[in-house]
Amino acid sequence: MNSIRIAVIGLGYVGLPLAVEFAKKYAVVGFDIKQERVGELQEGHDATLEVSREELKMLLCKGNHTAEKESTGLFVTAESGDIGAANCYIVTVPTPTDKNNRPVLKPLLKASETIGRVLKPGDLVIYESTVYPGATEEDCVPVLERFSGLTFNRDFFAGYSPERINPGDKEHTVTKIKKVTSGSTPDAAAKVDALYRSIITAGTHLASSIRVAEAAKVIENSQRDINIAFVNELAMIFNRMGIDTNEVLAAAGTKWNFLTFKPGLVGGHCIGVDPYYLAQKAQEYGYHPEIILAGRRLNDNMGKYIASQVIKLMIAADHKIKGAKVLMLGITFKENCPDIRNTRAVDIVRELQQYGLVVDIYDPWANPEEVMREYAFQCMPELNANHYEAIILAVAHHAFSALDISSLCSGSRSIVYDVKGILPMDQVDGRL
């Protein structure tokens, strides 16, 4: 295993933690097309907060060392030529959807092109990015062949080991999550499995084929999406009945086989995206998925639903709607994490603005420049002395549980809406 020289393509929430773990045992080059990202990492700063400065500094190397058999450590670069000495390439780039919810494979195909230009006989290419079944061998491998001039499963081999990173989770980190592995031949599969077993303490599961591993990944998040859609629909029903959804779930959860899910916004780079990849492939095979897409529609509309509930509560409290000040607590896609990709919290803001409300956004985890660049929303650097007609707790950051919500209200008629159900019931006027 010491002869393995690894190049990780894509240094985001998935790629960087993986590269760091491999760098403790192997020579690793981390490549990213964003020079700003690479520059920050070279200084020991990870903007995603997934890797500490101390750990990063300890493993960083000044020069490219992948040609040295016995070396370990991490060299980060934005120069594609620096990955040429590797013999194992791991692709961890994003796989988003477009505005029409169609899969966007461009980052994956560009990464394959970059690897194809330096691919050598005997090399192994492993994909971790979430895709639909068949994408590795049908979409990516032809790019590798075209740019390398090599033949698949004769000159080079492929594998698929889906990422299972949970951004912001300091308990279930890379090595503590069981890893699904696969390869394009039995020998390649064994090599992929052995490589991951060398760092994953939770163990691995060797799938029978790449397509099985791809399918396993895409249904993991599709299942969660459907389950959350179910409890979101329950929340809408129970809200009409005047029943607290969280109390219902707590009561139902006393049964041993009841699955615990909470209502809320479904965003991020996985759960809110992956079902569309499966749906796209299903339709290519002549099947129109009903449950998967119904769950997606319901979850994608939760922001509008929450905004409408807040408006109704404000009207009931005799608030003037147009020009009313609203405080939005949280804009990231999940708690205690700076990730704003595909956050559905923005849907609440946009809907309220259409009603003419003035919305202030405060999120101690989000990067204000990134929020402005991505969504054209301005975030307050800190809470000000303003008093608000309505306050919406949209993200359950630990910092928000200690806030004195009443001090931010404009008076006894102010509306407090708790999307995440973390505030005491006597402090809120509504929640999912």
Side-chain angles (χ1 to χ4, degrees), residues 295-312:
R296 279 283 73 237
R297 285 192 296 271
L298 196 147
N299 284 339
D300 275 349
N301 283 313
M302 287 308 293
K304 290 184 178 181
Y305 173 78
I306 291 165
S308 70
Q309 293 301 106
V310 172
I311 294 294
K312 289 177 182 178

Side-chain angles (χ1 to χ4, degrees), residues 19 32 45 67 75 93 142 160 181 217 303 323 330 336 351 361 378 413:
D32 200 286
H45 174 62
F75 172 66
V93 297
Y160 185 77
T181 64
K217 169 57 181 176
N336 309 311
E351 191 71 7
I361 302 170
Q378 186 169 358
R413 293 187 303 123

Side-chain angles (χ1 to χ4, degrees), residues 17-34:
L18 185 70
V20 164
E21 290 302 327
F22 273 125
K24 295 173 183 178
K25 289 196 173 187
Y26 307 101
V28 179
V29 172
F31 170 77
D32 200 286
I33 60 173
K34 296 179 181 177

Side-chain angles (χ1 to χ4, degrees), residues 360-377:
D360 285 348
I361 302 170
Y362 174 66
D363 192 320
W365 282 86
N367 182 327
E369 293 179 0
E370 190 178 353
V371 174
M372 175 58 72
R373 184 169 59 249
E374 190 71 23
Y375 301 108
F377 290 155

Side-chain angles (χ1 to χ4, degrees), residues 289-414:
E290 297 184 18
I291 295 175
I292 293 171
L293 292 179
R296 279 283 73 237
R297 285 192 296 271
L298 196 147
N299 284 339
D300 275 349
N301 283 313
M302 287 308 293
K304 290 184 178 181
Y305 173 78
I306 291 165
S308 70
Q309 293 301 106
V310 172
I311 294 294
K312 289 177 182 178
L313 289 168
M314 292 178 70
I315 291 173
D318 293 327
H319 280 295
K320 178 184 175 182
I321 299 302
K322 188 173 182 179
K325 290 183 178 180
V326 177
L327 174 62
M328 182 83 167
L329 292 174
I331 201 70
T332 61
F333 95 86
K334 67 178 294 187
E335 64 276 5
N336 309 311
C337 173
D339 196 349
I340 64 166
R341 290 175 296 172
N342 192 37
T343 174
R344 299 272 56 95
V346 299
D347 296 342
I348 302 175
V349 178
R350 288 170 178 154
E351 191 71 7
L352 292 175
Q353 288 176 338
Q354 289 190 7
Y355 280 99
L357 284 80
V358 178
V359 184
D360 285 348
I361 302 170
Y362 174 66
D363 192 320
W365 282 86
N367 182 327
E369 293 179 0
E370 190 178 353
V371 174
M372 175 58 72
R373 184 169 59 249
E374 190 71 23
Y375 301 108
F377 290 155
Q378 186 169 358
C379 284
M380 298 187 299
E382 57 185 28
L383 285 173
N384 53 37
N386 286 342
H387 290 157
Y388 298 92
E389 278 78 26
I391 298 172
I392 303 172
L393 195 152
V395 186
H397 294 318
H398 290 329
F400 291 157
S401 61
L403 280 179
D404 181 4
I405 300 292
S406 62
S407 67
L408 301 168
C409 297
S410 63
S412 59
R413 293 187 303 123
S414 291

